[in-house]
Amino acid sequence: MSAKKDLEARFDRACDLLLGRLADDEALSLEYSAEDSVFLRFNRGLVRQIGSVLNAQASFKYYRGGRTLYSAVNLTGSSEEDDARLEAALNHVRVEASLLPEDPYQTLPRAEGTSREEFPGALPDPSRLARDVLEPAGLLTSGGAEFVGLHAQGWVCRGSAASSGARHWFSTQIFATDWSAYAPNGKAVKARYAGRGWDGEEWERRLRAEQARLAVLTQPEKVLAPGAYRVYLAPDALAEFMAFFSWYGLSERSLREGASAWTALREGRRLLSPLFSLTQDFSLGVQPRFNELGETAPETLPLIQSGRLVSTLVSARSARQYEVAPNAAPDSEDLRSPALAPGSLDEAAAAAALGTGLYISNLHYLNWSDFDSARVTGMTRFACVWVEDGRMSSPIKDMRFDESLYALWGCKLEGVTRQRSLVAEVGSYFRRELGGALLPGMLIDGFTFTL
Amino acid sequence: MSLRSLLDSVAPPKAEWTGLRRVIARSRGYQAKDGRFEQAYDIADEGCMVEVLYRGQFGYAAVASSNPLALRAAGERALALAASAAERPVFRFGADVRPPTVLRWETPRTGKGFPDAGLLANSLVKLTASMRISEKIVQTAAEATFQDVRTELVSTNGADIGQTSHIVGFGAQAIAREGNVTQRRTLNGPRGRTMQGGFEALDFDALEVEARTAAEQALELLDAPECPSETTTLVLAPDQMMLQIHESVGHPLELDRILGDERNYAGWSFVRLEDIGNLRYGSDLMNIVFDPGVAGELASYGADDIGNPARREYLIKDGILVRALGSLESQARSGKPGVADQRACGWFRAPIDRMANLNLEPGTDSLTEILGSVERGVWMEANRSWSIDDYRNKFQFGCEYGRLIQDGRLTRTVRNPNYRGVSSTFWRNLFKTGDASTFRAFGTPNCGKGEPNQTVNVGHASPVCAFRDVEVFGGQA
């Protein structure tokens, strides 16, 4: 049996057993996550670690008599063993849930929809991975650069089912090469090649494209004083800000509990620029629309339109608790598949429009520094370059910024590019994540650097 | 089936060495908010990693199974991957970096087994209700978590290790709001009270008292002025020293980071290999130990995940860097001494150099003496924000609660206390370390690193510390 068929069979088995053995007064929603992955980790253009992970996890919420308990087990692929694990897990939650207090906002699954999406890919042969990924990097390493990063590939699967009838399956065979090249002076470029169809020629083309950027970085470093600067935020840099719509973000629950940094936006005390519009957009095709309850999110959900908050992320539980309409957000009420609206600035003219200031390719380690003013701090990283009269001039010594998002995307937002890039999600804590963000570049006047 | 009996059928004949590591974890958590029950979880996770060595290159294959057939297939897969990479290794290792350690270890605890789930949930409900002391308290929350992790490791050169960690965590928070000002107060940061032990660590009567104090302080912060913006003396409580040590000592000293492995993700280090043994890292008062044997501290263990027996070692002695955080692989690559710290978050990730328990040793001054030596300064406690550059130098941290220090005494409460600095300067400005009476241990389960990514538990213990000439500042309107 192929790996993908095996992983789908495990999902089917979990659905059949868990949903098939419920009593009339029980309900259950199931979320499934599986992968068959190969990881190639490299440093100095050589293999640091190489390995594979085959995992399948069935997570489920059990409901009975006003009580709810969340549980999870992983599935081995052996029918006998998995049946035993699932049965033991179901029997266990039945006992444990009966001990718990009632959940006052328990929301039973109601979704009935079904879907099936499958996206096979064409990936490098694992037996040739080290050669196919690392050998072409000689384009850069022959010039003295050091090649560092991770190539991950293989099937990633997600499933969802519920006792109300919902059943969804999504599987995709993808790769992501996330890498950086370090010049001898310690400066580096960073890039990402991700998709479903690996193309060795495209890989070489992308590596070659970074040679020019690396050349600029070998110039003497410019040291900047703290202060306000004109900057251009490239899509990869903007991508670092997307987490701030999930973390103390646009969750209905967080806003109600006083645990969101966007309270002033919600209450109309602050607005963002009319140039700023944010949408949850599943037409990007990078992740499934269903959540852990088997609910399907709308294909597009405007959240901020022309600077005004028009919607929050509302799970079924929050809908019940706060008596508002749900929009199939997951229980975490995290933002998925974000897209920022394009503007009118031509990307090719961005440096000229910037004039003199900073081209920010990437940012690093962002964190909230003050919730009430939605202020965020972080660092510049990788190929950030000083631009003089519209021309890329020299790399900069890394700088710390501290800026309110109300200002960054408010009075300081000068322009948004017409062109947008899909920045793929490559996170892999606990599992390979799916997703990505469709983002433009942004011209900012007066970005605050503090150190 | 025992791992030892599995190993013989799993080890591919062409591998020079094979190791089999199994991790079985059970995690439970209970959460209440605003005097009502919120949610509970009970999660099992189990799997094995087969690791082989072929022509100096390690390869691994992890599966969610202990089935002999699945493991045999995993062994062959690991071998094929190692063979495919053997022409391009960053280093050719020998089996000597996988020592044949025989060891059994378990977290000492008195409260064995597991408390009644209903009792636990109702205690949390009662505690969050007791925190609602004012209509300005808009949210209260409390959580108790438990985790049992069994790790077994056997290898063809004779390793036979069995370790069990019992972990318990508790957190509580109160959010207060008045007008456009919101303040949050927790017990030592969101997850700072994660430790090893049994449920004897949860004294709900005592926790309720502490939680109410947190609620009172959240209200106090609403009326407090912003932390002033100035360069001054900074005195940090142990629950903020935890983050300071973690970000500006622990991460920069990870040897695999110094060797460049993390440059694409978590970053590099301002420390170079040639600095080990001679770099002036901090003042003479700075003594940092890697200590895996502290009872109750979150990252205590007997051996790391490649079988290296764990021992207490100084990393920084009298301010001088003497040793880095690197286990046998990094020691072989660098030629530098290290510690037993090659750890994985579970069966599905390969071990890499991590922090474990990293502690700043206490000095000789009481809290009163430390404060008494400060004419003007700021006291800060409980981390709420953290950011540092990719070389681990330029940092900015924010805390929940601050107080001015004036003429040797704590005076007015200040809100939104933040500070920023540069690691290499900051630690040289350490001029007071508290005595044992100020020393406390905390832990966090959320230390993230590695490609592919993984989070591990770490512990940090510290006394109260005082630093000169630190840039502090408050929030903005």
Side-chain angles (χ1 to χ4, degrees), chain B residues 3 22 43 86 132 160 183 186 194-195 226 230 285 314 345 354 369 375 385 388 397 413 420 430 464:
Chain B
L3 229 53
R22 176 162 62 190
I43 294 170
R132 295 192 67 84
D160 186 346
Q183 291 290 310
T186 67
T194 312
M195 65 204 83
E226 295 283 345
E230 58 190 63
L285 297 176
Y314 276 98
C345 66
R354 304 308 302 256
E369 286 166 341
E375 191 178 319
S385 170
I388 193 164
F397 297 126
T413 300
R420 58 173 75 102
L430 171 67
V464 168

Side-chain angles (χ1 to χ4, degrees), chain A residues 37-96:
Chain A
S37 301
V38 175
F39 296 105
L40 170 69
R41 186 178 193 193
F42 46 92
N43 182 16
R44 296 183 6 239
L46 300 167
V47 178
R48 171 64 188 102
Q49 290 175 315
I50 187 166
S52 70
V53 175
L54 178 63
N55 193 14
Q57 186 182 56
S59 314
F60 60 94
K61 259 195 181 160
Y62 170 82
Y63 311 82
R64 181 169 180 263
R67 291 163 171 83
T68 316
L69 179 60
Y70 177 84
S71 186
V73 293
N74 34 14
L75 303 177
T76 68
S78 151
S79 310
E80 199 178 315
E81 200 169 344
D82 288 347
D83 283 356
R85 282 191 183 190
L86 289 164
E87 191 150 1
L90 185 57
N91 290 337
H92 177 74
V93 297
R94 282 173 168 142
V95 171
E96 286 291 298

Side-chain angles (χ1 to χ4, degrees), chain A residues 41 43 47-48 52 70-71 74 92 135 146 182 248 257 267 321 365 367-368 381 398 428-429, chain B residues 26 36 42 44-45 62 88 139 177 184 247 261-265 349 385-387 394 453:
Chain A
R41 186 178 193 193
N43 182 16
V47 178
R48 171 64 188 102
S52 70
Y70 177 84
S71 186
N74 34 14
H92 177 74
E135 204 165 271
E146 296 197 340
Y182 277 75
Y248 301 114
E257 290 178 347
E267 294 175 352
Q321 183 170 357
Y365 221 144
N367 203 317
W368 292 111
R381 194 179 176 189
D398 56 2
S428 53
Y429 286 103
Chain B
R26 174 107 184 265
R36 55 173 170 75
D42 189 333
D45 181 68
R88 294 178 174 79
Q139 191 230 50
R177 182 175 179 186
R184 183 182 66 161
E247 298 289 356
D261 288 355
E262 288 284 329
R263 286 179 288 176
N264 185 55
Y265 178 62
R349 290 287 179 264
S385 170
W386 62 102
S387 175
K394 290 186 183 179
N453 311 138

Side-chain angles (χ1 to χ4, degrees), chain A residues 10 36-39 41-57 68-76 78 81 85 92 96 99-105 126-128 130-131 134-135 146 148-150 178-180 182 186 190 247-248 253 257-259 263 267 269-270 317 321 331 364-373 375 377-382 397-402 404 426-432 450-451, chain B residues 26 30 33-34 36-47 57-67 77 81-82 84-85 88-91 93 114 116-118 121-122 125 138-139 175 177 180-184 247 256 259-268 329 333 342 347-352 384-392 394-396 416 418 420-422 448-455 471 473-477:
Chain A
R10 300 186 201 192
D36 179 25
S37 301
V38 175
F39 296 105
R41 186 178 193 193
F42 46 92
N43 182 16
R44 296 183 6 239
L46 300 167
V47 178
R48 171 64 188 102
Q49 290 175 315
I50 187 166
S52 70
V53 175
L54 178 63
N55 193 14
Q57 186 182 56
T68 316
L69 179 60
Y70 177 84
S71 186
V73 293
N74 34 14
L75 303 177
T76 68
S78 151
E81 200 169 344
R85 282 191 183 190
H92 177 74
E96 286 291 298
L99 301 174
L100 296 172
E102 283 201 17
D103 174 3
Y105 301 114
S127 68
R128 294 174 46 104
R131 185 167 21 169
L134 299 180
E135 204 165 271
E146 296 197 340
V148 195
L150 178 76
D178 191 66
W179 61 274
S180 43
Y182 277 75
K190 181 171 173 68
W247 184 28
Y248 301 114
R253 185 184 312 125
E257 290 178 347
T263 301
E267 294 175 352
R269 290 183 282 115
R270 301 296 293 260
R317 184 186 169 82
Q321 183 170 357
D331 191 64
H364 174 68
Y365 221 144
L366 276 58
N367 203 317
W368 292 111
S369 65
D370 181 63
F371 292 121
D372 284 344
S373 59
R375 208 170 81 219
T377 186
M379 293 292 303
T380 60
R381 194 179 176 189
F382 294 117
K397 186 170 172 56
D398 56 2
M399 291 292 287
R400 171 166 296 285
F401 74 88
D402 202 6
S404 164
V426 294
S428 53
Y429 286 103
F430 305 109
R431 64 181 189 181
R432 280 168 64 209
T450 55
L451 183 66
Chain B
R26 174 107 184 265
Y30 302 82
K33 282 186 183 177
D34 300 321
R36 55 173 170 75
F37 184 68
E38 178 77 2
Q39 64 176 349
Y41 64 81
D42 189 333
I43 294 170
D45 181 68
E46 178 178 343
Q57 176 68 52
F58 284 106
Y60 65 86
V63 291
S65 177
S66 298
N67 180 287
R77 199 174 194 191
L81 289 170
S84 75
R88 294 178 174 79
V90 78
F91 189 85
F93 294 106
F114 192 73
D116 177 81
N122 284 319
V125 168
V138 296
Q139 191 230 50
I175 299 178
R177 182 175 179 186
N180 298 335
V181 177
T182 308
Q183 291 290 310
R184 183 182 66 161
E247 298 289 356
D256 65 344
L259 290 166
D261 288 355
E262 288 284 329
R263 286 179 288 176
N264 185 55
Y265 178 62
W268 213 346
E329 284 187 17
R333 290 167 68 191
Q342 195 162 339
W347 58 268
F348 53 92
R349 290 287 179 264
I352 55 175
R384 74 171 193 188
S385 170
W386 62 102
S387 175
I388 193 164
D389 72 23
D390 58 317
Y391 284 82
R392 297 279 143 183
K394 290 186 183 179
F395 62 79
Q396 178 168 313
N416 301 324
N418 296 276
R420 58 173 75 102
V422 177
K449 186 189 158 181
E451 292 190 290
N453 311 138
Q454 40 182 319
T455 60
E471 186 187 344
F473 57 99
Q476 278 179 7

Side-chain angles (χ1 to χ4, degrees), chain A residues 180-243:
Chain A
S180 43
Y182 277 75
N185 66 355
K187 296 298 182 186
V189 294
K190 181 171 173 68
R192 194 173 289 174
Y193 175 37
R196 295 192 184 109
W198 173 269
D199 181 337
E201 286 180 9
E202 172 65 13
W203 174 229
E204 287 188 28
R205 188 196 70 75
R206 285 170 180 254
L207 290 167
R208 207 172 288 118
E210 297 303 328
Q211 285 175 316
R213 282 214 297 164
L214 257 182
V216 174
L217 298 181
T218 59
Q219 302 302 308
E221 176 181 83
K222 186 175 178 68
V223 178
L224 300 175
Y229 291 83
R230 286 178 65 74
V231 307
Y232 174 79
L233 290 172
D236 282 342
L238 262 187
E240 297 290 334
F241 286 102
M242 292 299 105

Side-chain angles (χ1 to χ4, degrees), chain A residues 160 171 225 234 316 375 384-385 389 400 409 443 447:
Chain A
S160 175
S171 60
R375 208 170 81 219
C384 296
V385 172
D389 295 326
R400 171 166 296 285
W409 292 324
L443 197 56
F447 194 59

